[in-house]
Amino acid sequence: MNVHEYQAKEILARFGVAVPEGQLAESAEDARRIAESLGGRVVVKAQVHAGGRGKGGGIKLAADPDEAARHFEEIFGMTLVTPQTGAKGRVVRRVYVTRAVEIEHEYYLSVLVDRASARLLVMASAEGGVEIEKVAAEAPEKIVKVALDPTVGYTAAVGRRVGYALGLEPELVRQFVRMLGSIVRCFVETDASLVEINPLVRTPEGVLLALDAKLNFDDSGLVRHPEIRELRDTDEEDPLEVEASRSGLNYIKLDGDVGCMVNGAGLAMATMDIIDLAGSRPANFLDVGGGASKESVAAAFRILLADPDVRAVLVNIFGGIVRCDRVAEGIIAAAEEVSLDVPLVVRLQGTNAAEARRMLVESALELDVADGLDEAARKVVAAVGGAR
Ligand code: ADP
Ligand code: MG
């Protein structure tokens, strides 16, 4: 789960990370009042779950409260297109007004789970700011990486190593050691999967401040953090993914054109692979789960068909705990509600598969039945116009 910048900063501040003061503004008048209370010079910032806002015109410096009010008017409700939003952009529904900080230098700092080493990894660069992607692509040697030993955790030695690698003077290294310690503690105690501060800035007075903050949380850890779960903003999530999670389905939207409905995460992954192998790409990952009911199958089917990118659907069910005839019932029920206007290929194996196939063939549905996985993939790829 992601949260907004202002929420990430509130959480980080609770762990002792220094952030500039700020407040969410509800109206232009509000933005003016907040700017006044912060001394006039502020930055008005669009809050969306995507980075690159500065480049897209979602971050504006205001010299005085009047200008802050004007920036609010421009940013609130705008469709913000950034390198991370895709061409469709995001509608800005929340606007943050924060003190403008004088910046002497911008650094990049993040903590994440490195799957390769199965450790927490600290990444930092003295070339932080809005061009960090370019640094990563063109000069990766400018990013230092230090993995934390899980038996030891964070130590001042790690902080010093990163701080000196960033070229900080000894006094700032001391500040940095504390700050990184707070960030790691925040990461561990909130079950985060990513903390990213870009930029972390040094002011002319020699203070380190987090000017931007991104926090991602491990969904499986949210059960332990109801106060974080409450920060979920479904306006920022893919509407189909939101609907799927309400129906207890594991659905992730992808960029291909073959919609997949599968039971079991492993089979779902294998199905995506075999679609790719046959020459097309999956439009989604969808695991209807081991105990799929007629209702959850119907919901899954509606979600699949609501995606305009889907040009054919592959249903691949292995009936172990789930009975294939239940799945067939769900498909037939859903097809009665939503019109099925793309080709459908169905592969059912296992418990009551023959019965399910008979039900589907006898239904009014137009579909193609496959026995093997290979055959199913080939058929569905042919249905979207053949291999790419
Ligand atoms: P994004 O990463 O989405 O573009 P940031 O919050 O990092 O958004 O802002 C982009 C840039 O705007 C920063 O690199 C920084 O130069 C400037 N900026 C952001 N917040 C402030 C602030 N409070 N004071 C001064 N400059 C800021
Ligand atoms: Mg940033």
Side-chain angles (χ1 to χ4, degrees), residues 130-144:
V130 296
E131 298 297 344
I132 190 66
E133 277 85 8
K134 206 165 148 210
V135 175
E138 291 169 14
E141 72 284 355
K142 289 182 176 162
I143 299 177
V144 288

Side-chain angles (χ1 to χ4, degrees), residues 63 113 244:
V113 181

Side-chain angles (χ1 to χ4, degrees), residues 155-317:
T155 59
V158 169
R160 276 196 295 276
R161 211 170 122 198
V162 180
Y164 282 113
L166 290 178
L168 299 175
E169 307 79 67
E171 173 43 36
L172 277 173
V173 168
R174 270 191 289 279
Q175 244 186 81
F176 181 79
V177 166
R178 277 196 304 275
M179 185 181 235
L180 182 53
S182 300
I183 290 169
V184 172
R185 204 160 56 79
C186 175
F187 187 104
V188 172
E189 291 187 14
T190 63
D191 292 311
S193 52
L194 170 74
V195 178
E196 185 182 74
I197 315 285
N198 186 38
L200 165 69
V201 302
R202 180 177 70 203
T203 70
E205 298 80 40
V207 175
L208 293 177
L209 278 175
L211 277 211
D212 187 11
K214 177 172 173 173
L215 271 180
N216 285 358
F217 298 97
D218 182 340
D219 287 350
S220 305
L222 288 173
V223 64
R224 304 204 287 194
H225 308 286
E227 76 292 352
I228 292 173
R229 196 163 46 181
E230 264 177 31
L231 303 178
R232 184 167 176 199
D233 182 355
T234 48
D235 284 340
E236 294 291 326
E237 296 175 16
D238 184 285
L240 295 178
E241 289 186 8
V242 174
E243 194 186 330
S245 80
R246 280 199 198 107
S247 303
L249 303 163
N250 280 313
Y251 171 90
I252 295 162
K253 170 88 178 93
L254 300 170
D255 54 12
D257 50 14
V258 177
C260 321
M261 186 172 98
V262 191
N263 67 319
L267 189 58
M269 300 289 278
T271 305
M272 288 160 52
D273 281 347
I274 202 139
I275 288 169
D276 196 79
L277 212 59
S280 193
R281 289 167 60 79
N284 64 279
F285 168 92
L286 173 59
D287 170 14
V288 294
S293 64
K294 175 183 154 189
E295 287 72 29
S296 59
V297 168
F301 213 64
R302 278 197 306 272
I303 289 164
L304 275 191
L305 295 179
D307 176 359
D309 297 337
V310 167
R311 292 170 55 220
V313 172
L314 172 58
V315 174
N316 185 21
I317 299 290

